[in-house]
Amino acid sequence: MSETLVGRLRRHHGSHWGAFTAVVEEGRLVGVEPFAKDPAPSPLLGGLIDAVYAENRVRRPAIRKGWLEDGPGGRRERRGAEAFVPVSWDQALDLVAGELTRVRREHGNRAIFAGSYGWASAGKLHHPRTVQARFLNTIGGFVGQVHTYSMATAQALLPFILGSAQAAVGPVTGWDSIAQHCDLLVAFGGLPLRNDQVTTGGSGEHLGELWLRRALAGGMWVVNISPCRDDMPDFAQAEHLAPRPHSDSALMLGLAHTLAVEGRHDRAFLDRYCVGYPRFEAYLLGTSDGQPKDADWAAALCGIEAERIRALARRMAAGRTMLTATLALQRAEHGEQPFWMLITLAAMLGQIGLPGGGFGFGYSCVGGTGHPRTELRAPQLPTGANPVGDDIPVARIADMLLQPGEAYEFEGRQRAYPDIRLVYWCGGNPFHHHQDLNRLLRAWQRPETVIVHEPWWTATARHADIVLPATTTLERNDIGAGARDRFWLAMQQAIAPQGEARSDFDIFAGLARRLGTAETFTEGRSEMGWLRHLYDVARQQAAERRIVLPDFDGFWAAGHVEIAPPEQPYVQFGEFRADPVRHPLKTPSGRIEIFCETIARLGYADCPGHPRWLPPSEWLGAPAARRYPLHLLSSQPAARLHGQLDHTGISRAAKLRGRERILLSPQDAVARGIGEGDIVRVFNARGALLAAASVTDAMRPGVVQLPTGAWYDPAEPGQVGSLDKHGNPNMLTLDRGTSRLTQGPSAQTALVEVERHDGALPEVSAHSVPAGA
C-alpha cells in the first residue's frame, strides 16, 4: 500500500448515490460521511463499506474449467455451473489477448460484442463502457449497443416527433419553473422519489423532495395516475387514479376526446406549432374508424370512471398544467404510444413552452431531473472512432446471439444481426437488467468465449469464461460529474485494491501492450495525468462560456467544483414557442409531429403514423389473463441501485426471509390464501421465482409489484428453466422489442400467477463464491 494511505485519512469521493468523505484508518475504510452541501443524503451510502469488503469479491483472475481445459467454446453449456481455476494476471491477459487475436483473424472484429452499461462507475476516466470502447477501437472496433434500458424506446422515438430525445434525457422544464407557475401536475406513473437518490455520474445534492414540497406549498395540485399509490409520496396528498397497466394511452385518448368535443383544446397552438393534428383528430373522434375514443370507451379499457376522466380533462384545461410520465411507461410492448400520446395531449392544451406547463418525461425517475443546472460539458475520456460501425439496440442481446444473420428493423432502417463469437462485458450485469432470463441463458451458451471484468461474483461473472477482478471506485482516482447535477466531484483513492484487483483502464493498458496499441490507448499518460488532462480540457471549454473554474490542483484539494445554477428557470421548448421560425425543431416540418409522415411511410402495424391505442399481447384485457391473471410491474428498488449493493446489509435488510418482497393487494392475497410474509411462487410460461409476500392496499387489485435487482439465483445453475430462489422479476418479463421502429425493452409487459410455496425452502446462494474461485 502507498504510504499516503497509511494512518487516519479522509478522502473526497463521489458515487451514483451522492458525494461523501471516506474515512480511512490504517488503510481500511471505516466510515462514510455525506457531503456537507447535500440537504438529503441517500441512505444507500451506508452500503459502501459492506460492498468493498464483501466476501464475494473477485480476488484473482479466474478461468472457467471447461474453457481452460478444452479451449474456446469448451463445455459452454456448463456456463454458470462449472468451477473456476485461479490464474496469474500474466496468464489471464495472455489468454484474453490471444482470444481477441484469434477471433479477429478468423471472423473479423464484427464477431466481437462489447457489452457494458453506464451505471458501473460514476467516474469519467474509469467509466467501463468508455474505456472498453477506447481500447477495442484501437484494435479494429467491435459491435456495441445504442440507447439505454431505462429509456431506449423514447430515445429512438422522440427524434421523429420532436427532433431530439431531450424531453426524456433532459434538460426538461425546471422544478423552479414548475414551483412558480404550475397549477396542476398530472403524473402518469407517479413521482417515485425512491429513484431520486441515484444519479449516473454522481451528485452533490438530492433535491427531489425539496422541490416537490416547494411546488405544493405554492398551491400546485397533483394527480397520481399509477396502479400503485406508493408511486407518489404521501405528503403530496395527491388524487389517485389507478388504471390497468398498459392502458395509459387509452386514458389519454379519453382525456383528449373530452378536450376536443368540448372545444377546450388550443387550435391556434396546434395550427402554428404542430403538424398532423387533423389526421389524429379523425381517429380520436372516430370518423376514420367508426369508434370515438371518448371517456366511456377509455373507461372500459383503463378501469377509471368516465366522469372522472372528463372532470380531469376540464381541470387540465382550466389552468397551467404540466404533464409527465415515468420512464417505465415506455418500457412495455407498444411503449411508444403513451409517450407520443402525452405529447399530443400537451399540444392540445397549448401550454408547451410556457413556464410550468407543457410536458416532460422522467421527473423523479432519476436524481436531478428538472433540478436547476447550467448546462456544461463535463470531463470525458475520448473513445475514438469505431471502425466496425455497427451496433444493436441495447435490449436485443438475446436476439443477436440466438439469430445471427437474421434481418431486423430499427429506427426505420433494415439491419442484420452479426455472428458473435466473443462477448466482452465490462461493467454492468445483463443477468440483472435483461428480460426473460431463461431465454438469455440459452443465448449466452452460443458464443465461444465470454470475458467479464467485475469486482464481485455476480451472475454475469459466474456465467463467464474469463473473469478479471476489477477495482471499485474507492480503490482508484477519478472525477465524477453527473449530467443532471451542479457539482464535479473529486473521487480520491481511499484504500488499496482488494486482492489482485486492477482498474479497467490498467487491464486494457496491459492488453494494449500485448496487442501493440499501448501508445494509442494510453497516450503516455498515467491515471493522474489523464485526470488532470480531462479536467483542463473541460475547464477550457467552460472558460469559453465565461464560466471560471479553479485549476486542477484547487479542484482536487477542495474535493468538488460547484457550478452556479442559471439565473432564469429553464423552460423546455421556450425558444421554439417564442419563435418557431427562428428556432424550429429538428423534424422534417420543424414542428411537433402529431402525425409523422416519416413513420407512416414505414408501414409498421405496431407503430403507425400517429398515437393510437394498441393493446399489448399481455395485459389484464388480454386472453392470456385467464391463465395468468396478475400483471407484474418490476419497479426500481429503494434499497439499492438496480442490482448494485444487493449483497450488502442495507439491501438484505429490506428483504424477508432472504427473498425479495412482492407487493400484492389484500383481495389478491385472500383469493390465493396468501398472508403477510408467506413465501410465494410467481410464475408464467417463461419461468418461475420465489419471493416474499407483502400485502398492501396501495396496489390495485390484479397488479403485483416486484422490484428489480435481486441477483439471479437459479436452483440448478446453468439449467434453462430452473427456479430462481431469490426474486429476480426478469425471470418472467417479455423479451420482445417494443416495436419494429424502436426495439426497446418490454420489461413491464408480463402476466403472472402467484401461489403460496409450501414446500421445502431452498437456501439463497446468490451472493456466494463459485467453486474454485
Side-chain angles (χ1 to χ4, degrees):
M1 178 183 295
S2 167
E3 290 183 0
T4 60
L5 298 182
V6 176
R8 183 176 176 87
L9 303 170
R10 298 167 64 83
R11 289 287 189 258
H12 303 294
H13 212 75
S15 71
H16 299 307
W17 307 279
F20 61 94
T21 298
V23 182
V24 180
E25 290 185 358
E26 298 302 323
R28 185 173 180 85
L29 181 68
V30 296
V32 173
E33 299 175 355
F35 186 41
K37 295 191 176 186
D38 191 345
S42 170
L44 296 182
L45 290 172
L48 295 177
I49 298 177
D50 282 358
V52 167
Y53 298 117
E55 292 292 325
N56 62 351
R57 284 293 299 265
V58 181
R59 299 190 178 275
R60 293 187 63 190
I63 315 295
R64 183 174 61 83
K65 193 171 186 292
W67 193 96
L68 187 62
E69 293 177 350
D70 298 345
R75 303 201 291 268
R76 53 189 163 182
E77 74 281 356
R78 294 284 294 157
R79 286 186 183 126
E82 207 166 34
F84 284 83
V85 178
V87 298
S88 69
W89 265 109
D90 280 341
Q91 183 179 358
L93 293 177
D94 286 346
L95 287 170
V96 172
E99 187 61 359
L100 287 167
T101 299
R102 179 191 73 83
V103 171
R104 292 162 61 212
R105 181 182 64 246
E106 296 180 4
H107 306 287
N109 281 66
R110 196 169 182 263
I112 299 171
F113 175 67
S116 186
Y117 212 56
W119 288 100
S121 170
K124 293 300 183 180
L125 172 61
H126 298 292
H127 185 253
R129 180 181 177 93
T130 302
V131 72
Q132 178 188 47
R134 180 179 175 85
F135 162 70
L136 289 174
N137 286 341
T138 71
I139 63 168
F142 62 98
V143 174
Q145 301 164 281
V146 293
H147 304 326
T148 68
Y149 278 85
S150 297
M151 58 183 80
T153 299
Q155 287 172 300
L157 172 72
L158 295 184
F160 289 93
I161 312 306
L162 301 171
S164 79
Q166 180 184 328
V169 302
V172 293
T173 295
W175 271 110
D176 46 353
S177 178
I178 294 171
Q180 292 179 45
H181 300 282
C182 184
D183 300 314
L184 176 66
L185 176 70
V186 181
F188 287 86
L191 295 173
L193 287 182
R194 63 180 176 272
N195 298 350
D196 191 70
Q197 61 186 320
V198 296
T199 303
T200 182
S203 64
E205 54 190 5
H206 294 84
L207 302 174
E209 180 175 335
L210 181 149
W211 277 114
L212 179 55
R213 288 186 181 275
R214 284 184 183 176
L216 294 167
M220 183 183 77
W221 184 253
V222 177
V223 178
N224 173 24
I225 302 178
S226 171
C228 182
R229 188 180 65 242
D230 289 347
D231 282 336
M232 184 70 65
D234 289 341
F235 69 77
Q237 298 183 315
E239 179 183 352
H240 181 213
L241 279 66
R244 289 177 177 145
H246 291 7
S247 68
D248 299 271
S249 57
L251 173 55
M252 293 177 200
L253 284 163
L255 293 166
H257 187 277
T258 299
L259 296 177
V261 298
E262 295 185 2
R264 299 175 188 271
H265 56 322
D266 190 331
R267 279 283 188 183
F269 183 90
L270 293 166
D271 290 343
R272 186 179 188 199
Y273 298 97
C274 306
V275 294
Y277 176 75
R279 296 280 293 272
F280 166 76
E281 188 178 68
Y283 167 77
L284 181 68
L285 301 182
T287 56
S288 64
D289 64 0
Q291 175 59 68
K293 313 308 180 295
D294 59 18
D296 296 287
W297 169 87
L301 293 169
C302 69
I304 305 296
E305 298 89 341
E307 281 310 309
R308 292 191 75 182
I309 296 173
R310 293 188 180 97
L312 178 56
R314 292 163 188 153
R315 286 171 58 199
M316 288 163 52
R320 187 61 54 84
T321 298
M322 170 61 75
L323 305 179
T324 182
T326 58
L327 300 177
L329 265 66
Q330 46 91 62
R331 290 196 294 270
E333 193 176 7
H334 309 315
E336 303 83 7
Q337 303 310 309
F339 269 40
W340 199 349
M341 190 58 227
L342 190 85
I343 295 166
T344 302
L345 190 57
M348 293 177 69
L349 291 171
Q351 299 179 21
I352 296 172
L354 294 179
F359 72 94
F361 300 113
Y363 289 97
S364 291
C365 288
V366 65
T369 302
H371 296 181
R373 178 185 184 274
T374 299
E375 292 300 307
L376 191 63
R377 186 180 178 89
Q380 188 71 47
L381 179 71
T383 62
N386 185 347
V388 169
D390 194 9
D391 47 49
I392 64 165
V394 65
R396 303 273 57 82
I397 299 170
D399 287 1
M400 173 189 68
L401 295 177
L402 289 169
Q403 302 158 4
E406 183 165 313
Y408 70 102
E409 292 169 274
F410 177 50
E411 295 181 332
R413 300 190 302 275
Q414 292 280 342
R415 299 191 176 199
Y417 288 119
D419 185 1
I420 297 299
R421 303 305 179 100
L422 185 152
V423 171
Y424 201 140
W425 209 278
C426 175
N429 182 359
F431 281 86
H432 151 65
H433 59 238
H434 198 76
Q435 292 72 56
D436 191 350
L437 290 182
N438 279 314
R439 185 169 188 262
L440 178 65
L441 185 58
R442 287 195 296 272
W444 208 254
Q445 295 170 350
R446 298 293 297 274
E448 296 164 356
T449 300
V450 177
I451 303 166
V452 168
H453 296 195
E454 182 60 66
W456 301 282
W457 282 105
T458 64
T460 300
R462 296 162 80 104
H463 287 82
D465 300 317
I466 302 174
V467 182
L468 304 179
T471 52
T472 67
T473 68
L474 284 157
E475 296 155 18
R476 60 200 186 213
N477 295 295
D478 214 328
I479 297 173
R484 301 172 179 86
D485 193 70
R486 297 192 303 112
F487 291 85
W488 293 357
L489 306 172
M491 299 172 63
Q492 300 167 347
Q493 183 181 354
I495 57 175
Q498 299 297 290
E500 297 181 14
R502 297 182 181 180
S503 73
D504 298 304
F505 187 93
D506 285 344
I507 294 170
F508 286 124
L511 291 172
R513 284 191 291 273
R514 285 164 170 78
L515 296 174
T517 63
E519 182 59 33
T520 303
F521 178 73
T522 68
E523 297 185 17
R525 295 189 180 96
S526 65
E527 175 185 75
M528 291 306 296
W530 266 112
L531 294 180
R532 185 178 295 274
H533 171 70
L534 297 180
Y535 181 87
D536 287 345
V537 170
R539 181 176 178 237
Q540 178 59 39
Q541 292 168 341
E544 292 169 2
R545 298 185 54 193
R546 299 184 180 179
I547 298 174
V548 178
L549 301 179
D551 63 16
F552 179 80
D553 292 330
F555 156 68
W556 200 251
H560 70 274
V561 164
E562 181 175 359
I563 301 163
E567 294 181 1
Q568 297 296 324
Y570 177 73
V571 178
Q572 187 178 205
F573 304 110
E575 290 185 340
F576 168 65
R577 185 182 184 104
D579 192 334
V581 176
R582 292 186 59 191
H583 302 285
L585 303 182
K586 295 179 181 179
T587 58
S589 65
R591 295 185 283 174
I592 298 168
E593 305 227 343
I594 294 175
F595 178 88
C596 179
E597 189 66 46
T598 304
I599 294 177
R601 282 198 301 267
L602 297 172
Y604 295 156
D606 59 2
C607 191
H610 62 70
R612 293 174 180 256
W613 159 246
L614 297 176
S617 57
E618 295 185 26
W619 75 297
L620 294 178
R626 289 193 289 270
R627 183 176 181 186
Y628 302 111
L630 299 173
H631 195 120
L632 172 67
L633 298 178
S634 45
S635 62
Q636 290 299 321
R640 57 183 174 268
L641 164 58
H642 305 316
Q644 293 187 52
L645 302 183
D646 185 56
H647 56 311
T648 67
I650 194 167
S651 179
R652 294 188 186 194
K655 300 179 185 184
L656 188 61
R657 299 171 69 183
R659 326 284 158 165
E660 198 62 43
R661 296 174 184 259
I662 185 169
L663 306 183
L664 70 165
S665 73
Q667 297 96 312
D668 293 324
V670 169
R672 292 163 175 78
I674 294 170
E676 179 70 23
D678 284 348
I679 301 301
V680 296
R681 177 175 174 262
V682 190
F683 62 96
N684 61 18
R686 289 180 286 273
L689 60 86
L690 297 181
S694 186
V695 183
T696 171
D697 64 3
M699 294 302 302
R700 176 192 167 100
V703 182
V704 295
Q705 186 180 71
L706 180 64
T708 63
W711 288 9
Y712 172 57
D713 190 21
E716 299 176 82
Q719 293 297 309
V720 174
S722 178
L723 172 77
D724 176 69
K725 302 177 292 181
H726 195 200
N728 188 318
N730 275 326
M731 292 298 297
L732 310 171
T733 51
L734 181 68
D735 187 20
R736 180 184 299 170
T738 46
S739 75
R740 291 161 69 188
L741 179 71
T742 68
Q743 297 288 358
S746 296
Q748 302 297 342
T749 301
L751 291 176
V752 302
E753 180 58 290
V754 177
E755 62 185 14
R756 194 174 65 229
H757 177 79
D758 293 324
L761 196 58
E763 181 181 356
V764 173
S765 54
H767 306 130
S768 62
V769 176

